[in-house]
Amino acid sequence: MKQPQPPRWATLLLRWFCAAHLLDELEGDLHELFQKRVKSEGLRQAKWRYICDTLSLLHPVLMKSKPNPYPKPNRADMLQNYLKIAWRNLAKNVAFSAINIVGLSIGMTTAILIGLWMWDELSFNKYHQNYDLIARVMQHQSYNGTTSTTPATPLPMRAALQSEYAGDFSRISLSSWTENRILSAGNNKLIKKGNCVEADFPLMMSVSMLEGSATSLNNPTSILLSKSVAKALFGSDNALNKTVKVDNKNHFKVTGIFEDLPHTTEFRDVTFLLPWKFFVEEEPWVKRSETNWGNNSFLLFVQIAPRTTFEQVTSKIEGIKARHAKEEARFSPKAFLHPMSRWHLYSEWENGVLVRGRIQFVWLFGIIGGFVLLLACINFMNLSTARSQKRAKEVGIRKAVGSVRTQLVAQFFSESILMATLAFVVALILVQLFLPWFNQISDKQIAFPWGNLQSWIFALGFTLITGLLAGSYPALYLSRFKPVKVLRGTFIAGRFSALPRQVLVVVQFTVSITLVIGTLIVLRQIQHARDRPVGFDRSGLLSVPMTTADLRSHDQALRSDLLQTGAAVNMAESSSPTAEVWSSDASFSWPGKDPDQLGDFGTVGVTHEYGQTVGWQFRQGRDFSRQFSGDKLGIVLNESAVKFMGLKSPVGTNISWNSEQYTVLGLIRDVVTGSPFMPIQPTIYMLKEEWAAFIHIRLNPSFTARQALAKLEPVFKKYNPGSPFEYKFASDEYDQKFKAEEQIGQLSSVFAGLAIFISSLGLFGLASFFAEQRQKEIGIRKVLGASVANLWQMLSKDFVILVVIASILAIPIAYYFMHDWLQHYTYQTTLSWWIFAAAMLGALAITLVTVTFQAIKAALLNPVKSLRNE
């Protein structure tokens, strides 16, 4: 039968009023007296008297405000005591502490560097005040079922947007492509990059003006200079209202100085701005393009009105080109707005769909940084729990004298946080030392924000979280030991006590081996693309941009003088660099062409000697020759163009373009003119000397590069005296195509190496501890005849098994992710078995080297000392 209970509200009143150290005793007495009264006086009378007794106890003497005779220790004193004990433990176990601090500091350094890199990537273009409203007008166009995406737009689109959708835009501005120009003032001459833009451009992009006015670009003879360029040209003099000569022929008045654009903007290379009106006057083809919807050669930027969205505006303008140019409708053109917030991280399109961009690397390195830090935390956990038996008596004594588990947890957490703090100090030093090198390989200008309060708050939180993560398992594990068993000496770690440590070691090496495999595949993919036939000879090939008309008007005399130096064996000109194609055209026709077939062919204008100079590799036919006047209407095709046209015998075939008939003279091996990881663009080479924009020079192999350049420079100075001698080697230009992948490969190599190092550091600590723990066993085995090899095998076997398990787990994980990554490239390497085997064998070798030192050291120890040691 259920026992009767006193009134609930009276009990709650007593608990609310009474001091905690008196409550249990008073409540127990009242409850006992209540039960006696129920039996002698009845339930009703017992309840009434319980209420009266409770009310009589509401006396000031018993109130909670009365000081507790057993006060809790002062929190500050407890914290100080925790830290003092933590420091003593660190100092007492120097080797253990050093391994943990070194591991944590490397992990934290990696995490900080990656965090700074990620912040730099995610903050790209936020320099611009209207960052969330600015977009670039782009377009999709389809050719034979394949959709291409380009930021280039036709010139009349600007006027159409202004007249038809004025209410949707705050600003609209045209811009030329960023290009090099010669700037000179007095004796100072520079080659710098800049754009020709409309007057609204500086306002749209919130260019920070130091002097003058941004709107002055309405004047066709004005120029805006960056602060650094103004200083380089005019020194300490005020550059405002001074005259700058551009390309040795045009004079402009400096009407504004702007702050250098930061490294974290797409326009970081822009050091001057010229008026759009000058661009129209300088280039007659621009004027002719004002009504030509088929010429996609211009950049168009817009700032949408605050009340609308990019999606709404895109839905209105996507059909603008097809409506205004019926002949272009066959390409299914669709205009759209690409927001500035997505330019840097979301910029790769595949068949008209945004598929990827640098955002994949941001997440990739974020995950890697987290894993590397986790590996360091695992070391702390493993070494702390491995030393559990040494600290068991400490826990038992503390519990015996009154410590509760929460206090022990706090003690162990204070140790891990202290260690994390020391590691963070070391990490800051390492970050400062390695940041210049990190900036170099990642092409950044990152600086640690020493003066930013938010950064320090974040750093404090980062250190605290790292300390709590590293100390979580040891604190919860060590604090649960039973004092009676420990102090009696009957404490046994348990049959499966080593299992958590083994799991953590497997996790460490699984991550490390996965990173190593991934790095090897990235490097192999880069090398695979480097080994791809490029279709021309890069060695000893020099390119010089034709910056002025002086070079164009004296090209034959220039060629003659260059050859006479002996440093050049050939020279030619072209409209594009050797490894790029700057223009394309879809209006070619050929025999057997399907009327519905559309082909976007790369078009390159060259001079007669171009093929000999760059080293074309002919499959059929011949090169251009000055001996045949008919070659003016001759063309050379690459293999991809012939394949696209479906020509079985291309030489002699007539190709129609712009109402003229051209004859195919020759077929050459494909030249890599785009990404070395992607298919080759069908390309047509034509004799168009008037298109020339680059001079290409084949150097004499008997000259060193320094000797050849010393002989060539005076010739260029002779015909182009107002310009610096600017040149690029074709091999360097080609190497730039691998820049992004090589950055990923270099960073991955570093992070994989750090992961292996941290994991090995943890193994070294565990091997050292286990060797020390099993000294007596080793001594007994040696007395009984065990050899050094037997003891080494005994101590190494367990670690080797763990690494083998980690390899078995890492191989399918790495295969899955790297196979998916390779699908982004058309020209891709294979996932060879030896890559996975090499990573596994490498991990085993590192494990054996790490463990062997401690194993042999323990095996060689005198057994007498081991057995005497208590």
Side-chain angles (χ1 to χ4, degrees):
M1 183 178 178
K2 187 177 180 182
Q3 196 174 38
Q5 297 296 321
R8 176 69 175 165
W9 66 269
T11 303
L12 293 175
L13 177 64
L14 180 66
R15 291 176 181 175
W16 170 79
F17 180 84
C18 190
H21 64 287
L22 300 173
L23 180 61
D24 287 346
E25 185 178 353
L26 291 175
E27 188 176 343
D29 289 345
L30 286 175
H31 191 80
E32 184 179 352
L33 188 58
F34 171 78
Q35 297 299 336
K36 288 181 180 180
R37 285 171 178 167
V38 169
K39 293 178 180 179
S40 60
E41 301 178 16
L43 179 60
R44 184 173 182 181
Q45 186 67 20
K47 287 185 176 181
W48 172 250
R49 296 189 66 179
Y50 182 88
I51 294 171
C52 293
D53 290 341
T54 300
L55 294 175
S56 68
L57 291 174
L58 302 182
H59 190 278
V61 176
L62 303 177
M63 287 180 66
K64 283 187 176 180
S65 59
K66 181 179 177 63
N68 190 339
Y70 310 106
K72 292 184 178 180
N74 182 278
R75 289 182 180 272
D77 292 339
M78 289 182 66
L79 180 60
Q80 183 179 1
N81 184 58
Y82 289 155
L83 293 176
K84 187 184 294 184
I85 295 172
W87 180 257
R88 287 174 180 170
N89 275 320
L90 296 184
K92 181 181 177 182
N93 303 282
V94 177
F96 159 79
S97 302
I99 289 175
N100 274 328
I101 290 174
V102 170
L104 278 176
S105 63
I106 292 175
M108 294 174 88
T109 300
T110 303
I112 291 171
L113 289 175
I114 290 178
L116 291 173
W117 183 84
M118 290 177 66
W119 178 253
D120 186 87
E121 290 285 311
L122 294 171
S123 61
F124 234 81
N125 290 321
K126 289 187 177 179
Y127 158 83
H128 306 283
Q129 294 176 7
N130 301 311
Y131 165 82
D132 294 324
L133 298 174
I134 297 173
R136 178 164 46 206
V137 181
M138 299 180 64
Q139 57 176 334
H140 301 304
Q141 295 191 108
S142 297
Y143 302 89
N144 303 312
T146 300
T147 301
S148 66
T149 305
T150 175
T153 59
L155 186 54
M157 187 178 288
R158 189 252 190 267
L161 292 179
Q162 184 68 55
S163 61
E164 298 174 25
Y165 306 101
D168 292 309
F169 302 106
S170 300
R171 290 189 175 95
I172 301 177
S173 180
L174 283 164
S175 172
S176 65
W177 298 84
T178 302
E179 60 180 344
N180 285 324
R181 289 183 181 267
I182 302 169
L183 306 182
S184 57
N187 295 323
N188 296 322
K189 290 183 174 62
L190 305 170
I191 294 181
K192 291 293 181 180
K193 290 185 176 181
N195 293 52
C196 295
V197 297
E198 291 187 302
D200 260 2
F201 185 85
L203 298 174
M204 183 192 299
M205 300 302 172
S206 53
V207 174
S208 179
M209 298 300 298
L210 301 176
E211 296 181 76
S213 171
T215 57
S216 60
L217 287 179
N218 281 315
N219 187 331
T221 60
S222 64
I223 185 173
L224 304 184
L225 299 179
S226 68
K227 181 181 177 181
S228 59
V229 169
K231 185 176 181 180
L233 289 175
F234 300 100
S236 58
D237 294 342
N238 189 345
L240 202 63
N241 297 320
K242 297 286 180 63
T243 299
V244 172
K245 195 175 183 181
V246 177
D247 292 340
N248 297 321
K249 59 181 179 179
N250 300 296
H251 293 83
F252 292 86
K253 182 180 178 181
V254 179
T255 56
I257 309 295
F258 60 88
E259 190 71 53
D260 285 22
L261 296 173
H263 197 260
T264 53
T265 172
E266 299 293 328
F267 303 104
R268 62 186 179 183
D269 294 331
V270 175
T271 59
F272 65 87
L273 294 172
L274 288 168
W276 182 259
K277 292 178 181 178
F278 158 72
F279 187 52
V280 175
E281 293 173 2
E282 181 193 39
E283 301 289 351
W285 64 271
V286 177
K287 184 70 175 177
R288 295 194 300 269
S289 299
E290 289 181 350
T291 57
N292 184 359
W293 284 87
N295 184 357
N296 301 309
S297 302
F298 306 92
L299 297 176
L300 184 57
F301 300 97
V302 297
Q303 180 180 328
I304 62 172
R307 66 180 181 277
T308 189
T309 65
F310 295 114
E311 292 77 12
Q312 290 172 347
V313 177
T314 293
S315 65
K316 294 180 181 180
I317 70 169
E318 65 177 0
I320 189 170
K321 186 175 181 179
R323 291 199 308 271
H324 284 269
K326 301 301 183 182
E327 69 279 4
E328 296 295 321
R330 57 189 175 139
F331 301 114
S332 304
K334 291 184 179 180
F336 67 97
L337 301 185
H338 191 211
M340 177 181 275
S341 58
R342 299 174 70 83
W343 288 358
H344 184 67
L345 297 177
Y346 302 90
S347 58
E348 294 186 34
W349 306 81
E350 190 173 288
N351 206 22
V353 178
L354 183 62
V355 291
R356 58 188 178 273
R358 289 184 67 86
I359 189 63
Q360 62 182 334
F361 299 131
V362 172
W363 293 119
L364 172 65
F365 285 128
I367 293 170
I368 289 175
F371 272 123
V372 172
L373 183 59
L374 177 64
L375 298 184
C377 293
I378 287 175
N379 278 354
F380 186 95
M381 297 177 190
N382 273 341
L383 293 177
S384 297
T385 53
R387 296 176 64 252
S388 59
Q389 286 184 307
K390 284 196 171 186
R391 300 201 67 176
K393 287 188 178 180
E394 175 192 344
V395 173
I397 293 172
R398 285 178 177 275
K399 282 192 171 183
V401 298
S403 290
V404 295
R405 188 180 182 191
T406 55
Q407 292 174 323
L408 291 170
V409 169
Q411 171 63 52
F412 290 120
F413 272 132
S414 67
E415 290 184 19
S416 63
I417 291 173
L418 175 61
M419 196 165 295
T421 303
L422 295 174
F424 180 70
V425 173
V426 176
L428 288 180
I429 297 172
L430 293 176
V431 166
Q432 198 61 27
L433 288 174
F434 289 110
L435 202 51
W437 166 83
F438 184 78
N439 281 333
Q440 182 180 358
I441 66 172
S442 61
D443 191 26
K444 295 288 185 183
Q445 293 181 1
I446 301 171
F448 190 87
W450 296 102
N452 190 318
L453 179 61
Q454 290 181 337
S455 299
W456 286 108
I457 294 173
F458 179 80
L460 180 64
F462 170 68
T463 305
L464 183 63
I465 292 172
T466 302
L468 293 175
L469 178 63
S472 58
Y473 182 67
L476 299 175
Y477 175 73
L478 296 175
S479 62
R480 73 180 183 181
F481 290 166
K482 302 297 182 183
V484 176
K485 291 185 177 181
V486 171
L487 297 177
R488 282 181 178 176
T490 59
F491 169 77
I492 300 174
R495 180 180 173 185
F496 299 105
S497 62
L499 184 60
R501 288 195 299 277
Q502 293 170 344
V503 170
L504 291 176
V505 169
V506 169
V507 170
Q508 275 189 314
F509 273 88
T510 299
V511 172
S512 301
I513 294 169
T514 301
L515 287 178
V516 169
I517 293 172
T519 301
L520 290 175
I521 292 173
V522 169
L523 296 177
R524 180 172 166 81
Q525 171 65 6
I526 294 171
Q527 191 58 48
H528 178 69
R530 281 189 178 280
D531 294 339
R532 182 181 189 179
V534 295
F536 69 102
D537 185 6
R538 303 191 304 273
S539 61
L541 184 61
L542 197 71
S543 294
V544 179
M546 300 179 74
T547 52
T548 66
D550 295 333
L551 292 176
R552 290 189 179 93
S553 59
H554 299 94
D555 57 344
Q556 289 305 312
L558 175 67
R559 170 183 167 78
S560 176
D561 287 357
L562 288 174
L563 296 179
Q564 285 180 10
T565 64
V569 295
N570 217 331
M571 178 207 127
E573 301 163 20
S574 73
S575 60
S576 300
T578 51
E580 293 183 44
V581 173
W582 281 8
S583 62
S584 61
D585 199 295
S587 55
F588 289 93
S589 297
W590 57 91
K593 178 186 177 183
D594 187 333
D596 297 326
Q597 189 177 12
L598 302 173
D600 190 26
F601 293 90
T603 53
V604 182
V606 300
T607 55
H608 291 81
E609 299 81 10
Y610 181 79
Q612 300 172 20
T613 303
V614 301
W616 273 346
Q617 300 169 19
F618 277 85
R619 294 294 198 183
Q620 296 179 26
R622 63 174 177 85
D623 199 351
F624 297 111
S625 174
R626 293 187 183 274
Q627 296 178 2
F628 302 99
S629 59
D631 282 4
K632 283 288 185 182
L633 292 177
I635 57 175
V636 172
L637 306 180
N638 70 350
E639 291 173 309
S640 294
V642 171
K643 182 179 180 182
F644 182 84
M645 293 177 180
L647 303 178
K648 295 183 178 180
S649 301
V651 176
T653 302
N654 290 326
I655 306 292
S656 176
W657 182 66
N658 285 351
S659 304
E660 290 188 306
Q661 292 292 322
Y662 290 80
T663 302
V664 178
L665 302 179
L667 165 64
I668 61 169
R669 181 192 291 270
D670 279 338
V671 175
V672 177
T673 53
S675 169
F677 304 100
M678 303 305 287
I680 305 295
Q681 181 182 12
T683 306
I684 298 176
Y685 296 87
M686 318 171 75
L687 277 179
K688 298 290 181 182
E689 296 182 10
E690 64 275 15
W691 292 4
F694 291 90
I695 296 171
H696 307 285
I697 302 168
R698 172 66 62 185
L699 301 181
N700 191 330
S702 62
F703 286 73
T704 65
R706 184 186 296 273
Q707 292 171 338
L709 292 172
K711 287 184 172 292
L712 297 178
E713 184 172 6
V715 178
F716 279 93
K717 287 292 185 182
K718 174 182 176 181
Y719 293 101
N720 197 22
S723 303
F725 179 46
E726 184 189 18
Y727 59 88
K728 286 185 179 180
F729 283 97
S731 55
D732 294 337
E733 288 184 306
Y734 189 76
D735 288 342
Q736 284 294 310
K737 296 177 180 293
F738 300 91
K739 186 176 180 180
E741 281 73 17
E742 285 184 335
Q743 284 180 0
I744 301 305
Q746 288 177 329
L747 291 173
S748 299
S749 300
V750 172
F751 298 146
L754 290 175
I756 284 289
F757 176 78
I758 292 172
S759 300
S760 301
L761 197 65
L763 275 189
F764 182 84
L766 285 176
S768 175
F769 176 78
F770 289 143
E772 179 185 351
Q773 192 180 40
R774 300 176 73 174
Q775 274 188 11
K776 287 189 178 181
E777 178 190 349
I778 292 170
I780 293 171
R781 287 180 179 274
K782 287 194 74 172
V783 170
L784 295 176
S787 65
V788 172
N790 295 141
L791 296 173
W792 170 79
Q793 181 182 4
M794 178 190 73
L795 293 172
S796 304
K797 181 179 64 175
D798 291 342
F799 292 110
V800 170
I801 291 173
L802 295 179
V803 174
V804 170
I805 294 172
S807 299
I808 294 172
L809 293 174
I811 287 173
I813 294 172
Y815 180 88
Y816 173 80
F817 285 106
M818 297 314 297
H819 180 269
D820 182 65
W821 178 74
L822 285 175
Q823 301 314 303
H824 297 160
Y825 302 101
T826 304
Y827 193 78
Q828 59 183 249
T829 187
T830 56
L831 294 175
S832 302
W833 65 269
W834 65 263
I835 296 175
F836 302 95
M840 180 176 178
L841 293 175
L844 286 172
I846 292 171
T847 301
L848 290 175
V849 169
T850 304
V851 175
T852 293
F853 174 78
Q854 293 295 342
I856 293 179
K857 179 182 174 183
L860 294 175
L861 194 66
N862 190 337
V864 176
K865 291 183 179 180
S866 302
L867 297 174
R868 281 181 178 175
N869 181 30
E870 292 293 330

